[in-house]
Amino acid sequence: MTDMYRPGTWDKIFQDGNFDYVFHVAAPAPDNPANVDFDKNFLEPAVNGNLEILKSASRYGKNIKHITFTSTMMTVTAGAIEDIQGKVLSSSTWRNVRSTTPKLSKTALTSRQITPAEARTANDPNISYRAAKVAAEQAVWAYVASETPHYSVSTLLPPFIFGPPILHVASVQNLPFSTTVFYSLFNGTFEKTPLDFYPSYIDVRDLVAMHLACAITPEAANKRFLMGKDFSNQRIVDILKTLPELKSRVPGDSGHVPLYFQLDTEETDRVLKVRYHTLEETVLDSARKILELEKVAP
């Protein structure tokens, strides 16, 4: 497969295979600063990547029972201060994407409301990612509403995804986005612990379990699921200090007061019934794995 979002690109896979469940976990990420073309690098692959797998499954995946999509908490909030301080966020919350295009500064575009036109003007991978992920998930639900496929769909809305990385990388300098954020707390990036800008995470192992639970749990059909546990950079640094090999590598205390989202994850916890790893488990397991990678892929 050359492009996951080209018309019919999934057809042969569903024609030749016999599948019960599909997990769609790929999407354009803001890792490459050269990817500034909103339509080419983000919108088209994100939206059409979702739609093409739905269309092919409808045409040829006659035994498909369920498709689970990895969406993002960015479809709920981009971390605007008013969301952190004054609102309870849930699976039913959508970030407001305007249909009009008022003039906004690039700084303003990091708040809750981003239109595709604004993303094109900004030429910023992070802004493009946020706008494209909203459009991509909305495209999924629009398809389900208009086509009523024979299978059910769920979307998962994770925040930062931490946990021990198992993928092959040529260098620890090329880790995925969330892991890079975590690694920055002990790779010399900061002298002082940085401010928190998106204070919620999920352990990748728990997110995997949630994907599986969506597939086999009837009550998960055609629902969104928000998840996330509180963390602060300072809490992570304090846990990292307990590893002797990292005690001298973490940034100094900054005295920042942490801010946390108010998340309503009752439905996610009740329906998917996943046991969460503790922050200490996630931090220590992740750090130990990255230390291993440093030795073989510096």
Side-chain angles (χ1 to χ4, degrees):
M1 177 187 304
T2 55
D3 291 304
M4 57 182 276
Y5 57 91
R6 298 299 182 194
T9 194
W10 296 94
D11 284 355
K12 183 169 177 54
I13 292 173
F14 285 106
Q15 287 173 322
D16 294 347
N18 183 20
F19 308 106
D20 294 315
Y21 307 105
V22 176
F23 302 96
H24 185 18
V25 300
D31 303 76
N32 187 348
N35 288 343
V36 295
D37 187 318
F38 173 65
D39 293 278
K40 177 182 178 181
N41 301 134
F42 292 94
L43 187 65
E44 184 177 354
V47 172
N48 290 345
N50 285 356
L51 290 178
E52 286 304 318
I53 201 166
L54 289 168
K55 293 175 181 177
S56 293
S58 294
R59 284 192 293 261
Y60 302 111
K62 302 308 179 184
N63 293 323
I64 295 292
K65 299 177 179 66
H66 187 85
I67 300 180
T68 305
F69 287 89
T70 312
S71 185
T72 172
M73 191 189 284
M74 284 286 181
T75 64
V76 173
T77 175
I81 192 67
E82 61 267 26
D83 286 350
I84 294 176
Q85 291 185 326
K87 185 182 297 183
V88 176
L89 305 172
S90 71
S91 298
S92 62
T93 307
W94 280 93
R95 226 179 70 220
N96 183 20
V97 180
R98 295 187 304 270
S99 58
T100 58
T101 313
K103 294 181 179 179
L104 288 178
S105 67
K106 193 170 183 177
T107 300
L109 290 178
T110 63
S111 66
R112 291 176 60 250
Q113 306 179 59
I114 307 169
T115 66
E118 288 164 349
R120 293 183 186 102
T121 301
N123 285 329
D124 180 280
N126 289 299
I127 291 171
S128 293
Y129 171 79
R130 295 169 185 171
K133 288 296 285 187
V134 174
E137 193 189 343
Q138 289 177 333
V140 168
W141 295 120
Y143 181 91
V144 171
S146 64
E147 303 300 323
T148 58
H150 63 274
Y151 49 80
S152 59
V153 168
S154 297
T155 59
L156 293 170
L157 316 176
F160 276 124
I161 304 172
F162 297 152
I166 61 172
L167 74 170
H168 172 77
V169 290
S171 167
V172 288
Q173 308 307 316
N174 302 119
L175 292 166
F177 176 74
S178 289
T179 308
T180 297
V181 171
F182 175 82
Y183 186 36
S184 72
L185 296 177
F186 62 97
N187 70 357
T189 299
F190 300 106
E191 292 185 4
K192 296 290 185 179
T193 303
L195 284 167
D196 309 306
F197 74 94
Y198 208 85
S200 187
Y201 82 101
I202 185 74
D203 189 298
V204 65
R205 295 165 292 189
D206 302 334
L207 185 57
V208 169
M210 289 178 179
H211 279 75
L212 296 173
C214 282
I216 62 175
T217 305
E219 195 178 348
N222 299 329
K223 290 182 178 178
R224 310 174 80 213
F225 292 103
L226 180 67
M227 76 287 297
K229 294 296 181 181
D230 292 340
F231 83 95
S232 70
N233 289 329
Q234 189 60 57
R235 286 172 65 194
I236 289 179
V237 166
D238 290 341
I239 296 170
L240 291 171
K241 288 178 185 177
T242 66
L243 291 175
E245 58 266 62
L246 291 182
K247 194 168 184 178
S248 63
R249 292 179 53 175
V250 296
D253 295 353
S254 59
H256 296 312
V257 177
L259 295 172
Y260 299 118
F261 291 128
Q262 298 180 68
L263 301 181
D264 177 3
T265 62
E266 184 278 330
E267 183 176 41
T268 302
D269 299 338
R270 174 175 51 81
V271 174
L272 303 185
K273 296 180 174 63
V274 171
R275 172 202 168 273
Y276 290 94
H277 286 77
T278 66
L279 181 61
E280 184 174 43
E281 289 172 329
T282 299
V283 169
L284 294 178
D285 290 350
S286 303
R288 290 184 180 114
K289 184 62 179 180
I290 292 173
L291 288 172
E292 292 176 12
L293 290 174
E294 283 184 335
K295 296 175 182 177
V296 298

